[in-house]
Amino acid sequence: MTTEIISVGDELLIGQVVNTNAAFIGELCSSQGLKVQRVSTLGDEKSELIQCFARAWEEHDIVIVTGGLGPTHDDVTRDAVAEFFNSELLFSEPVFDDIQAFFASRQRDISDANRDQALVPHNAGYLRNLHGTAPGMHYERNEKHFFVLPGVPGEMKPMMQNAVIPLLSGLVSNAYASCVIMTTGIPESDLAEKFEGIEKFFGTASLAYLPSALGVRLRLSSIATQMEEAQNSLQQLKDFIYQRVSDYIYAEDERSLEEIVASLLIERSATIAVAESCSSGMLADRLTDVPGSSAYFDRGIVAYSNKSKEEELGVPAELLIEHGAVSREVALAMAEGIRARAGTDFALSTTGIAGPGGASEDKPVGMVWIAFCSNAQSFAIDYYFGNDRKKNKTRTAQTALEMLRRALLGLPALQPSNRTRT
Amino acid sequence: MTTEIISVGDELLIGQVVNTNAAFIGELCSSQGLKVQRVSTLGDEKSELIQCFARAWEEHDIVIVTGGLGPTHDDVTRDAVAEFFNSELLFSEPVFDDIQAFFASRQRDISDANRDQALVPHNAGYLRNLHGTAPGMHYERNEKHFFVLPGVPGEMKPMMQNAVIPLLSGLVSNAYASCVIMTTGIPESDLAEKFEGIEKFFGTASLAYLPSALGVRLRLSSIATQMEEAQNSLQQLKDFIYQRVSDYIYAEDERSLEEIVASLLIERSATIAVAESCSSGMLADRLTDVPGSSAYFDRGIVAYSNKSKEEELGVPAELLIEHGAVSREVALAMAEGIRARAGTDFALSTTGIAGPGGASEDKPVGMVWIAFCSNAQSFAIDYYFGNDRKKNKTRTAQTALEMLRRALLGLPALQPSNRTRT
């Protein structure tokens, strides 16, 4: 059972947009044990699309097309698909209801172009789009499946997860088990060192490292003829990994660190406030990405100027003069200051050199102090992240969240990775 | 003269690695006026590669293959290429010299597998690799060109820039011009309506819409036999677009709204502070993504709880009780409060229902008040974004930045898109 992904859009060919959709779909299909054999990326040209559909439909059992379903003249995918499958486009009331509801929720009027998006092929199923206006399509012929999805990631992803995968997961005969383990605070090469001897599990099971600025995701998978066997070998690999690096694991299955921290805070009926300099709002942003965050998040101060550190957080001017804004003393004063103001159980603070400017001999770009305080303890740790401004902010926010997670669980604080090596 | 890019590697198919190489090559080719017609991504399977090479070589003038040239058993691209072109692999002293120099510079020994990378096809040119061990290859037959490059971005990119592009740039007779126009605050379908009659430009020029939560990017391009002609028709299309929607255009050529706002603030030696509820730090985060942002950004308050709106921003408790936190009155009080505290020239505030909870009959999820204030004026506008929490935060931050841009330029404030339709 093989799959081809077809991505449509001139913007992909000229490199204006990186094809993250294909990676997303490929990962999801693989996680179901489906073999993705090819990704074809084409421009918005109908005859070429039809030619590509014909080859893919001949060669593969599953074809997933994404992109080119928008309401404007340059979107030709629906017409190409309709021509390929000899479909007549008919106005669908249920699809139009969804489009109307979508516009109503935004208090916007529907244009004629959007109204035309309710035209769907008479001989295909359609897939609801609750995050946009273009419905998806599904043709099933001789046990083969042809899906057509929007190209906007926020529309394609839920359609893929909620409509396509449930349909496909019933088709695979091999038993396939997989999981993702989320780590942070330890580089890929250090993980590999700690996993010495892991090769013995690589009969049915396999492991992939997926590093990003947030940490390294570990994708474990296992294929066997029986599900029990697949699950057993997956579990053995998982046990080994937990044995070696459990402190660095904050979640399984793509859950975010802010979700984990949110659950821990809610379980404890605890509250938090943050004082940010170099992460500059990103930590507050992450903490409030979780629905219901007002239960635990009280406030944040982005104290960018020294003056605001004094005025909003009560950091003594002498500390700023004597130690500089990027220092253990100021980080601690910021965390203690915001906790005192907000009256929360916990507080975090960040202050560092995001770059590219602002560095000095002893305070290089990427140096960041992060502090934690509660009624029981206060501490600050200096980390050294790198040269990229945005990545420094990202890693600062992530490391602060990890500091909170570890404190909530009574784990030792995350040390900078240069210190974890002996 | 058309081009196909062929990316090779199982890791691309299972979505473990996003295909940024194809975007890089596509962008570079397009910038030379070469039309990229297709990107094919395949796994490390020799027979499939050969089949794909045959079709691509038949259909296109230029084929650029990348990936699968490494020294390990799963790299099969060189063998596939050699078989396709009936090449014999011969040991090349100059290539081996490069490999030796590469290892010497890293003080590492050469393995047999690396030594074998000096085997190159007898009937092709090779491209030096100064950043790794796998040389590139170049076949020229009947004025067609077939390139084979390593997949490691740090090796592929310099080879593409220094060896492939100089060869290709001589081949293009057509002149190509392009630009990107960044818009925000107007949906794709409304843009299309405002562009009524734009088809008359679509002889040599073309237009693509690239929507995201931040707005719609417009990609304009033009191909003609002479550069002057290409530039003229591009300019005509551009003039038309500016005529119709100039207020919604904040930049050209992929610049971000925060960069634009940063320049405007710096030009005016002006400062800003922000008070955020529903965007919760994202606005401060965006404003400080620009290097040197401390010149204009003073501070931000993320006032999530009602208590913090009172304590940190001086929002009167009566306002919160009478109108609720999501109201014109509270938005204005937040903006005025932070501006008074920070003593900045400008202030922005956000308060809304990010969702999924917190809605009421008259305050649906996605309803957001954004306020602006300066010493000259204060105003607040209500927008209706949608159901997705993260997108609501993103659109809130973007719309607040756009409010600031328009105020700085003396443009009318951005109205919610339902109100722009008459």
Side-chain angles (χ1 to χ4, degrees), chain B residues 198-212:
Chain B
I198 201 168
E199 297 75 19
K200 65 173 178 262
F201 298 101
F202 291 168
T204 47
S206 65
L207 170 69
Y209 300 78
L210 309 168
S212 79

Side-chain angles (χ1 to χ4, degrees), chain A residues 16 37 48 107 389-390, chain B residues 37 48 219 288-289 418:
Chain A
Q16 192 167 5
Q37 195 112 15
E48 276 191 51
Q107 309 214 345
R389 183 178 178 86
K390 190 71 192 177
Chain B
Q37 195 112 15
E48 276 192 51
R219 189 175 58 78
T288 57
D289 273 351
N418 54 318

Side-chain angles (χ1 to χ4, degrees), chain A residues 354-390:
Chain A
S360 62
E361 185 127 340
D362 56 332
K363 293 180 181 176
V365 169
M367 179 193 193
V368 176
W369 280 95
I370 302 178
F372 168 87
C373 90
S374 67
N375 70 343
Q377 60 171 338
S378 294
F379 62 87
I381 299 177
D382 53 329
Y383 300 90
Y384 297 82
F385 293 138
N387 288 315
D388 184 280
R389 183 178 178 86
K390 190 71 192 177

Side-chain angles (χ1 to χ4, degrees), chain B residues 56-78:
Chain B
W57 193 228
E58 170 79 28
E59 291 176 3
H60 303 289
D61 307 287
I62 296 157
V63 175
I64 301 174
V65 180
T66 171
L69 293 184
T72 52
H73 68 93
D74 58 344
D75 294 300
V76 301
T77 301
R78 184 186 59 182

Side-chain angles (χ1 to χ4, degrees), chain B residues 177 201 204-205 222-224 226-240:
Chain B
F201 298 101
T204 47
S222 169
I223 297 184
Q226 300 296 321
M227 184 48 100
E228 202 186 331
E229 195 192 340
Q231 279 171 342
N232 280 344
S233 75
L234 188 77
Q235 191 59 49
Q236 282 171 18
L237 179 59
K238 210 162 138 177
D239 290 347
F240 177 90

Side-chain angles (χ1 to χ4, degrees), chain B residues 72 74 85 100 168 189 191 200 207 269 285 293 304 313 319 335 339 361 367 382 414:
Chain B
T72 52
D74 58 344
F85 280 104
Q100 280 182 311
L168 294 181
S189 52
L191 280 171
K200 65 173 178 262
L207 170 69
S269 303
D285 185 23
S293 55
Y304 219 57
L313 299 166
L319 279 191
R339 183 165 171 269
E361 186 126 339
M367 178 192 194
D382 53 329
L414 177 67

Side-chain angles (χ1 to χ4, degrees), chain A residues 30-49:
Chain A
S30 303
S31 76
Q32 299 298 314
L34 290 165
K35 183 170 169 51
V36 178
Q37 195 112 15
R38 181 185 294 215
V39 179
S40 293
T41 308
L42 288 96
D44 301 287
E45 288 184 31
K46 202 167 90 173
S47 62
E48 276 191 51
L49 288 180

Side-chain angles (χ1 to χ4, degrees), chain B residues 183-201:
Chain B
T183 74
T184 193
I186 179 166
E188 184 179 2
S189 52
D190 289 15
L191 280 171
E193 260 180 45
K194 286 187 184 282
F195 291 162
E196 207 196 316
I198 201 168
E199 297 75 19
K200 65 173 178 262
F201 298 101

